[in-house]
Amino acid sequence: QVQLVESGGGLVQAGGSVRLSCVASGRTYSTASMGWFRQAPGKEREFVAAINWSGSSTYYTDSVKGRFTISRDNAKNTVYLQMNSLKPEETAVYYCAAGGRGGWPPPKYDYWGQGTQVTVSS
């Protein structure tokens, strides 16, 4: 059993940067691979980035490569998403996920946070 709480969302101008944090509690040793997803208004939830348990491997959707960085600090039970050069179309609720399984990148996650709103103004 794992609980996830996201923070760091807010309003940012196009071209700006935001750093999201996700703190895990509970059985944190079972979080394994973690990821970030987002859901924009009127669109389906989409995968953004994933990181394995040690942080040695990362994976990104093509549209964010070179601009976003996922990282984790297991001593703090926290995963981060650094987002640079943000675009208005990336306005969305961003969700943290943990307990990735089934391969790499993980096709399934067992735990989800409530999400944090990121609004990118044009």
Side-chain angles (χ1 to χ4, degrees):
Q1 183 69 15
V2 173
Q3 296 79 46
L4 304 174
V5 179
E6 302 99 330
S7 63
L11 177 64
V12 63
Q13 282 189 302
S17 297
V18 169
R19 192 188 200 197
L20 305 181
S21 299
C22 173
V23 179
S25 61
R27 190 170 288 182
T28 55
Y29 63 81
S30 68
T31 57
S33 295
M34 298 184 67
W36 287 95
F37 292 74
R38 64 190 177 191
Q39 187 166 19
K43 296 186 178 180
E44 298 292 323
R45 182 186 65 185
E46 70 168 338
F47 167 79
V48 176
I51 188 167
N52 72 344
W53 75 271
S54 69
S56 62
S57 294
T58 59
Y59 192 89
Y60 302 91
T61 191
D62 285 344
S63 65
V64 309
K65 288 180 179 177
R67 298 186 297 116
F68 289 14
T69 302
I70 187 171
S71 61
R72 68 191 299 169
D73 184 342
N74 289 342
K76 297 181 179 179
N77 300 318
T78 302
V79 64
Y80 306 94
L81 184 67
Q82 177 69 45
M83 305 189 292
N84 298 328
S85 302
L86 282 161
K87 305 172 182 179
E89 58 265 37
E90 293 175 315
T91 292
V93 176
Y94 283 72
Y95 297 93
C96 176
R101 59 185 177 89
W104 180 256
K108 298 179 183 295
Y109 292 85
D110 290 333
Y111 309 102
W112 295 85
Q114 292 297 304
T116 185
Q117 176 72 43
V118 175
T119 302
V120 185
S121 63
S122 60

